[in-house]
Amino acid sequence: MKKQLFLCLIAAMAMAFTACSNNESQLKKRTVDLAVQSSQWEFDQDVNQYYCHFNVPELTAQIYNYGEVSVNREYNSGSKNVYQVALPETSYKVEYEVDENDSVINTFYYAQHIDYAYGVGFVEVFYTISDYFYPDGFAPEGMLFRLQMTY
């Protein structure tokens, strides 16, 4: 009896090990470019920040619930100096106000913060200046974002 039990255990272990022999990864990755022109940014008065809404049908409920989603900002697109920065991103800026003789009359120091949120079928990117002071006629520059979904 012990001999038969031992042989059954050996057979069960052999079946278990052969069932795991397929080590091929089922992981998939998809990248979607999200481009926004300066004129496409919207301003939200309630939170005092700019945002851009992107419809992304590729971002399914399955990916939302079980995958990994990240957004990077791409700089210098199409050049040999292209690089990406993962969001959220904070960068520090200096701008100068000049008079008609190109003399500096004011200096502005601020931080710009870019972040994102996502849901099933969409991504929103947010742009905020640290002191919430946006000069008249201001709009963030055009930007390229790369949405990466791993599932």
Side-chain angles (χ1 to χ4, degrees):
M1 182 72 171
K2 288 183 182 181
K3 190 174 186 180
Q4 289 176 340
L5 181 60
F6 182 71
L7 289 174
C8 287
L9 286 174
I10 296 275
M13 287 177 33
M15 286 176 42
F17 286 128
T18 59
C20 297
S21 64
N22 183 1
N23 291 330
E24 187 174 315
S25 174
Q26 300 299 317
L27 193 63
K28 297 178 185 173
K29 184 175 181 180
R30 184 163 193 175
T31 302
V32 177
D33 286 346
L34 307 171
V36 58
Q37 301 302 317
S38 181
S39 61
Q40 293 174 307
W41 288 100
E42 301 285 334
F43 188 74
D44 185 338
Q45 296 282 346
D46 294 334
V47 292
N48 207 18
Q49 70 182 10
Y50 285 86
Y51 71 95
C52 191
H53 180 90
F54 298 96
N55 291 319
V56 184
E58 297 91 345
L59 207 165
T60 63
Q62 181 77 10
I63 295 171
Y64 177 83
N65 288 319
Y66 304 108
E68 172 64 31
V69 176
S70 64
V71 177
N72 296 332
R73 180 176 176 195
E74 184 168 283
Y75 289 89
N76 305 324
S77 297
S79 76
K80 67 178 182 170
N81 297 325
V82 66
Y83 66 96
Q84 294 182 28
V85 175
L87 298 185
E89 173 192 19
T90 301
S91 53
Y92 301 95
K93 304 284 187 173
V94 178
E95 292 202 15
Y96 304 99
E97 183 180 6
V98 296
D99 62 14
E100 61 277 349
N101 299 323
D102 289 334
S103 298
V104 175
I105 55 176
N106 275 321
T107 304
F108 301 99
Y109 299 93
Y110 63 94
Q112 75 174 12
H113 184 73
I114 304 170
D115 207 348
Y116 70 99
Y118 65 92
V120 176
F122 75 91
V123 172
E124 286 190 349
V125 177
F126 309 103
Y127 176 95
T128 309
I129 290 181
S130 56
D131 59 2
Y132 302 106
F133 173 74
Y134 303 97
D136 291 336
F138 175 83
E141 64 186 296
M143 299 178 197
L144 176 63
F145 301 100
R146 310 219 51 212
L147 168 67
Q148 296 182 353
M149 299 171 284
T150 306
Y151 51 100

